[in-house]
Amino acid sequence: MIYLDYAATTPVDGDVLEAMLPYLKSNFGNPDSTHAAGRAAAHAVAKARAKVAEVLDVNPLEVYFTSGGTEADNWAVRCLAKGRAAVSSVEHAAVLEGAKLREGGFDLIPATAGGTVTPEAVRTALTPDTGLVCVMAANNETGTIQPLKEISEICKEKGIVLFSDCVQAALLDLKEITKLCGAVALSGHKINAPKGTGALVVKKGVKISPMIAGGEQERALRGGTLNVAGIVGFAVALEKAQRERQRYAAHITALRDLFEEKVKAAFGKGVSVDGENRIPSISHLTFQNAPDSLLAKLDLAGLCVSGGAACSSHSALPSHVMLAMGKSEREAKHGVRFSFGKETTEEEVLKAVDILIECIK
């Protein structure tokens, strides 16, 4: 099996697993219990929170642990600020579907053919009632990096909170991105931590209401017993991903460029690379003459890839991101996302190209 779907999920890193194991076995206490076992677990959560805060250069009290990016996205778009939200049309479904449940309603911000949400488009989408702008750092289907610095300046000028889904932004400088935003969402399983882990960072002075009622966890804003082992692993993975991101980025960029060079040589004008100003890890391709069963053929040949976002891979509907970029419905149904990780090898990339050529030609 050749795995080129790292934008969907990643394997747990060895250092991450090692850090987690004590809290799955010996130190298994509930961090809200007042006895010694509970205090040991609470101490582990506090250390993890401090580590995440240090990586992002925020106050530990601004870090709220969640079950992942989808929860963090929903919490942000539904519960941050008052009034309407202006939401980019290429956001993850967690943001777009969450926006439909926002009490103040929302407006869509259009994207360019390259998948960019321009500052001008953001400014045009604002209304007198807009209290929140949602623009992701890097798109999960195309990898397009959004101009958050310029968008942040508009939001500050208007007194509007800027929220950014940073789930696919591990190869970018998250500290700099976090400085630009009122809130950011992160997911563990995209950065070699386990599934079911993540965080929402909400800056001091930015108001957010609870979405999950229950106990007094997370300063009474997010009920539910904390996933201690997952939180410990998430913090280790985030620190490692940011510390080594430049090395990872160089490795992954070389592999993605090699992959696209070989594919374009094989298919010429019959293939297009979607998106612009992309993160290194994603290559979204649209093939002119691909069979409808291409993903199944690739899977049977041992190549794991996605037809866009993994959470929407079972849908027969065209990709909303591709439609927002001006693709036809047929094109939006026939794009393939190849995504690369630190574990990917050149041998795997070259073999993947051979499989792709065989399955299409």
Side-chain angles (χ1 to χ4, degrees):
M1 184 183 77
I2 297 173
Y3 187 82
L4 293 185
D5 202 17
Y6 288 90
T9 197
T10 58
V12 175
D13 180 88
D15 292 337
V16 172
L17 181 60
E18 184 178 350
M20 291 173 59
L21 283 175
Y23 303 97
L24 291 169
K25 299 183 74 176
S26 53
N27 296 340
F28 58 86
N30 186 323
D32 291 306
S33 298
T34 56
H35 48 60
R39 292 197 302 274
H43 181 62
V45 171
K47 285 178 63 178
R49 198 185 306 275
K51 181 175 291 187
V52 171
E54 182 180 6
V55 172
L56 301 178
D57 194 21
V58 299
N59 189 296
L61 294 178
E62 297 173 328
V63 178
Y64 299 87
F65 292 116
T66 69
S67 63
T70 292
E71 183 193 332
D73 282 347
N74 267 264
W75 191 7
V77 74
R78 293 166 63 179
C79 302
L80 275 173
K82 298 291 184 182
R84 296 184 69 79
V87 180
S88 95
S89 58
V90 292
E91 292 298 295
H92 189 278
V95 172
L96 289 169
E97 292 301 313
K100 295 176 182 178
L101 301 174
R102 183 178 172 85
E103 190 173 311
F106 74 103
D107 302 291
L108 280 179
I109 310 169
T112 67
T116 298
V117 180
T118 66
E120 295 76 17
V122 172
R123 190 181 291 276
T124 301
L126 301 180
T127 73
D129 298 325
T130 304
L132 177 69
V133 167
C134 302
V135 179
M136 66 202 322
N139 187 264
N140 55 295
E141 292 191 31
T142 65
T144 297
I145 302 169
Q146 303 298 350
L148 289 179
K149 185 176 185 298
E150 294 80 2
I151 293 171
S152 172
E153 290 170 356
I154 293 171
C155 290
K156 287 177 181 177
E157 172 194 327
K158 300 288 186 180
I160 295 170
V161 175
L162 173 61
F163 163 68
S164 187
D165 174 343
C166 293
V167 167
Q168 295 290 350
L171 292 176
L172 303 177
D173 189 337
L174 288 175
K175 184 180 293 186
E176 289 303 310
I177 292 173
T178 303
K179 286 179 182 178
L180 301 173
C181 303
V184 300
L186 300 163
S187 176
H189 76 109
K190 312 293 188 178
I191 56 172
N192 299 97
K195 301 171 187 66
T197 62
L200 179 67
V201 176
V202 182
K203 296 287 195 61
K204 183 179 179 181
V206 176
K207 301 296 183 182
I208 189 166
S209 55
M211 185 177 73
I212 298 178
E216 297 296 307
Q217 294 90 351
E218 297 302 85
R219 279 84 76 204
L221 285 174
R222 194 265 186 186
T225 303
L226 293 175
N227 175 5
V228 178
I231 286 168
V232 169
F234 170 72
V236 171
L238 181 66
E239 190 278 330
K240 186 171 184 177
Q242 284 293 282
R243 171 167 41 87
E244 300 185 354
R245 69 183 180 86
Q246 291 179 326
R247 179 164 63 88
Y248 291 163
H251 168 71
I252 294 169
T253 299
L255 294 177
R256 186 199 65 183
D257 290 350
L258 174 64
F259 174 78
E260 291 182 352
E261 175 190 331
K262 296 291 185 182
V263 172
K264 286 189 284 188
F267 295 100
K269 294 182 179 180
V271 62
S272 61
V273 179
D274 302 310
E276 59 191 5
N277 187 29
R278 297 170 295 150
I279 55 173
S281 53
I282 292 179
S283 177
H284 190 283
L285 306 178
T286 299
F287 297 92
Q288 296 299 320
N289 300 308
D292 291 345
S293 57
L294 178 58
L295 287 177
K297 288 177 179 290
L298 294 174
D299 181 30
L300 290 171
L303 178 56
C304 298
V305 296
S306 287
C311 58
S312 303
S313 61
H314 297 287
S315 173
L317 298 174
S319 161
H320 72 276
V321 172
M322 294 296 109
L323 291 177
M325 291 166 57
K327 298 278 189 181
S328 68
E329 285 206 9
R330 174 173 170 74
E331 289 173 321
K333 285 183 178 180
H334 290 82
V336 183
R337 184 186 67 182
F338 302 85
S339 49
F340 310 86
K342 63 180 182 179
E343 299 85 358
T344 307
T345 66
E346 183 176 321
E347 181 183 3
E348 287 178 320
V349 166
L350 294 175
K351 180 62 176 174
V353 173
D354 290 340
I355 292 172
L356 182 61
I357 293 171
E358 179 68 23
C359 288
I360 292 181
K361 288 189 172 180

